[in-house]
Amino acid sequence: MRAFLAIVARDLRLGLRQGGDILTLVLFFVIVGTVLPFAIGPDRPQLARLAPAIVWVAALLAQLLSNERLFGSDFEDGSLAILRHAPLPLEMVVGAKMLAHWVLTALPIIAATPVLALMLGMEGETLLRAIGSLVLGTPALVAFGTVGAAVTVGLKRGGLVAPVLVLPLSLPVLIFGTGAMAPMVPGASGQALLLLAALGLVSVALVPFAAAMALRFAGE
Amino acid sequence: MPEAGLKVDDLCVARGGRPVLSGLGFALGPGEALEVRGPNGAGKSSLLMALAGLIAPEKGTIGWSGGGEAGESRALLHYLGHRAAVKPGLTLRENLTFWADALRGARDGVMPALAAAGLAAIADLDAGVLSAGQARRLALARLLAIRRPVWLLDEPTAALDKDGAGWAGTLVAAHLAGGGMAVIATHLDIAYGSGVSPRRLDLEGGA
């Protein structure tokens, strides 16, 4: 447990010291959400209808952008090889890094959602649902991103490979995430949220094993 | 510190589909060291990586004893590779404290280890500004701060100045005197001091 907490604390400390990264991520999220309305045009009802999709696409893209640094620097500087000699199984190392990554990337995005809501003319209730669906959905996004980052960690130019791997996996999150915000059928929002939560729990539980296996091969 | 034993039998290791080591066998016990010599590409680093469990051997066995249950060997050993595992953005002290926590060492060992490495005066400096030699010293301080019986050292004196190389040699000697074990890959002569004579393994082949 001490080793687990040490990894979480180190990653958080590193992330907060390089605070510029978090700010860039938040700005990226807000800018993507702001650029789309320009393409759509100044039709407020239409914007409000599209808002869930815009929020989720922006969150997905921002998440993709940040995944590379999950294992990249630890692999480059040799820390990952040494972490394999920690008394902690590699699966737990992955879990610790996922947790820190969620705090550093997903939490700022969730916190910035009200800004986006303002730009998109979202109503209060939709904003609450947006935040709820992001809280439940981002763990799954981080989990899938972790698999992508682990699989591509040894590649010299894995920059674009990971997003290509991760995007199809993230589709269910996108579908249920937007579904939870703007249900097609009245009352279906709760079901979408439940499915989103289930998706998050299953992926967070299983991904450490898959990612650890990928990291073991990356050592070669 | 628990004692450990190592027995390697008929070890074959390939890198990128090309065999670099074959039919290698040796045994090491507490207080013993093995110095692996050979030209570039002879497989010195590959041997250490295989011993560290970072790459899987094609054939043969690597048997650790003293680690308790099988698979616990990873808690027995320190691996010092080409990359120093020094994290820019953290201070020297934070770097070492992190490893003490993550590798289940004692935090009290951190400052004495930094002092022994000659880095105590810059303990609160960002590790990102260290020179290659200083980063190497910090990596060696990790071995000192967290007691583990097996040291796998890949070119431990690379980038070190004369004093640093001498210090690394005495570090290994003290480790062996304490019942530790070391496998050292190097192409530089390391002065371990009197009374320490590691066994020598010459690898052939290479570039």
Side-chain angles (χ1 to χ4, degrees):
Chain A
M1 202 57 201
R2 179 175 156 216
F4 184 88
L5 293 177
I7 296 169
V8 175
R10 180 194 69 154
D11 278 14
L12 289 181
R13 182 178 279 168
L14 280 170
L16 293 176
R17 274 195 197 157
Q18 291 146 8
D21 284 0
I22 297 178
L23 190 65
T24 316
L25 193 72
V26 167
L27 283 177
F28 180 81
F29 173 69
V30 172
I31 286 173
V32 168
T34 319
V35 162
L36 282 175
F38 282 103
I40 294 163
D43 180 352
R44 279 188 81 83
Q46 194 183 14
L47 259 186
R49 228 175 17 255
L50 290 175
I54 294 174
V55 168
W56 266 93
V57 167
L60 185 62
L61 291 179
Q63 200 67 58
L64 282 179
L65 202 69
S66 64
N67 283 335
E68 202 182 347
R69 68 162 187 229
L70 231 164
F71 298 114
S73 79
D74 276 345
F75 182 78
E76 295 284 311
D77 66 20
S79 300
L80 206 55
I82 303 199
L83 280 174
R84 289 177 61 174
H85 298 135
L88 195 70
L90 194 55
E91 287 79 6
M92 294 288 282
V93 174
V94 172
K97 293 193 71 73
M98 267 168 67
L99 177 60
H101 192 67
W102 185 81
V103 173
L104 287 173
T105 61
L107 223 46
I109 288 177
I110 294 169
T113 307
V115 180
L116 208 56
L118 206 66
M119 308 258 192
L120 299 175
M122 263 195 250
E123 287 158 18
E125 195 196 345
T126 322
L127 171 62
L128 281 182
R129 269 192 264 162
I131 291 176
S133 73
L134 281 175
V135 168
L136 288 177
T138 43
L141 284 188
V142 169
F144 294 136
T146 305
V147 176
V151 168
T152 55
V153 72
L155 301 180
K156 285 280 177 286
R157 273 176 240 164
L160 263 179
V161 182
V164 168
L165 280 175
V166 170
L167 267 177
L169 285 173
S170 307
L171 280 183
V173 186
L174 202 65
I175 291 168
F176 292 120
T178 50
M181 279 178 67
M184 299 290 174
V185 187
S189 168
Q191 288 164 4
L193 276 179
L194 282 178
L195 274 166
L196 210 55
L199 209 60
L201 286 176
V202 169
S203 57
V204 167
L206 295 183
V207 152
F209 295 94
M213 190 184 283
L215 288 179
R216 287 198 179 99
F217 282 113
E220 302 195 5
Chain B
M1 191 167 71
E3 293 195 333
L6 166 64
K7 192 170 187 319
V8 173
D9 216 17
D10 191 26
L11 184 69
C12 298
V13 177
R15 297 305 303 278
R18 179 175 160 271
V20 287
L21 295 172
S22 61
L24 198 66
F26 61 87
L28 273 185
E32 289 185 315
L34 183 72
E35 193 174 282
V36 186
R37 307 288 288 239
N40 293 140
K44 301 189 293 292
S45 295
S46 302
L47 172 60
L48 286 191
M49 285 171 81
L51 291 178
L54 297 175
I55 55 176
E58 296 279 292
K59 194 158 81 82
T61 55
I62 298 169
W64 295 99
S65 57
E69 299 156 43
E72 287 295 299
S73 69
R74 62 163 188 258
L76 275 181
L77 55 88
H78 269 308
Y79 170 73
L80 180 70
H82 290 286
R83 293 171 291 193
V86 166
K87 187 62 78 185
L90 297 181
T91 67
L92 275 68
R93 189 203 306 264
E94 285 168 342
N95 260 290
L96 218 48
T97 307
F98 165 69
W99 285 121
D101 287 340
L103 301 177
R104 209 172 282 165
R107 280 189 175 193
D108 333 333
V110 168
M111 275 322 284
L114 280 177
L119 300 171
I122 51 170
D124 293 312
L125 195 69
D126 187 326
V129 303
L130 293 186
S131 73
Q134 285 174 317
R136 204 75 189 154
R137 280 170 181 259
L138 183 57
L140 284 164
R142 187 177 69 236
L143 310 183
L144 204 57
I146 301 139
R147 308 294 295 163
R148 287 187 164 195
V150 182
W151 290 5
L152 304 174
L153 311 178
D154 199 349
E155 307 282 3
T157 57
L160 287 181
D161 56 21
K162 205 171 159 215
D163 284 350
W167 172 64
T170 53
L171 211 60
V172 173
H175 176 61
L176 297 179
M181 182 202 286
V183 181
I184 305 144
T186 181
H187 61 253
L188 300 169
D189 287 318
I190 300 174
Y192 303 100
S194 57
V196 181
S197 52
R199 297 201 337 247
R200 191 173 158 137
L201 176 70
D202 281 296
L203 296 176
E204 315 252 314

